[in-house]
Amino acid sequence: QVQLVESGGGLVQAGGSLRLSCAASGSILSIATMGWYRQTPGKQRELVAAVVRDGSTTYRDSVKGRFTISRDNAKNTVYLQMNSLKPEDTAVYYCNAKRGWDSYDYWGQGTQVTVSS
């Protein structure tokens, strides 16, 4: 089992910044990929950014150049630095970890990010 604990959400004005953190515990060596998803009412959960074990990263087009995902292996923690935030970034952000052998998804509790105009 893997447990994911998120922090860092909040309310910010457009153009501001937030940094989300996700600390993983449990069967850490089983994790192949970690990332961040977001979801708003009435919409599907969508991938924001992800990082794999070799350090490669991927981002959805709408956040490229504004968001940066990183990880600290010593702390088993992944971060999402969000700059130049826009109202359309408002969502509940969920930390995600995928188990390597079957891609089973582990999820954090979610943290609210609200960007006001």
Side-chain angles (χ1 to χ4, degrees), residues 92-105:
V92 177
Y93 284 69
Y94 295 91
C95 183
N96 167 266
K98 293 186 181 295
R99 191 160 61 193
W101 66 275
D102 64 351
S103 296
Y104 179 86
D105 284 306

Side-chain angles (χ1 to χ4, degrees), residues 6-100:
E6 300 153 314
S7 62
L11 174 64
V12 65
Q13 290 187 330
S17 298
L18 287 172
R19 188 177 75 161
L20 306 183
S21 300
C22 175
S25 61
S27 301
I28 303 301
L29 295 180
S30 70
I31 297 174
T33 305
M34 293 190 69
W36 292 92
Y37 289 70
R38 65 188 182 188
Q39 188 169 29
T40 57
K43 293 192 64 177
Q44 71 281 1
R45 189 171 297 184
E46 63 185 25
L47 174 68
V48 178
V51 58
V52 298
R53 292 179 69 90
D54 69 354
S56 299
T57 58
T58 186
Y59 301 88
R60 72 180 301 106
D61 287 343
S62 62
V63 307
K64 288 180 179 177
R66 300 188 297 122
F67 292 9
T68 303
I69 189 169
S70 62
R71 66 181 184 183
D72 185 333
N73 290 330
K75 297 181 179 180
N76 298 130
T77 300
V78 64
Y79 305 93
L80 185 67
Q81 179 67 47
M82 304 185 293
N83 298 325
S84 301
L85 282 162
K86 304 175 180 179
E88 50 263 45
D89 296 317
T90 295
V92 177
Y93 284 69
Y94 295 91
C95 183
N96 167 266
K98 293 186 181 295
R99 191 160 61 193

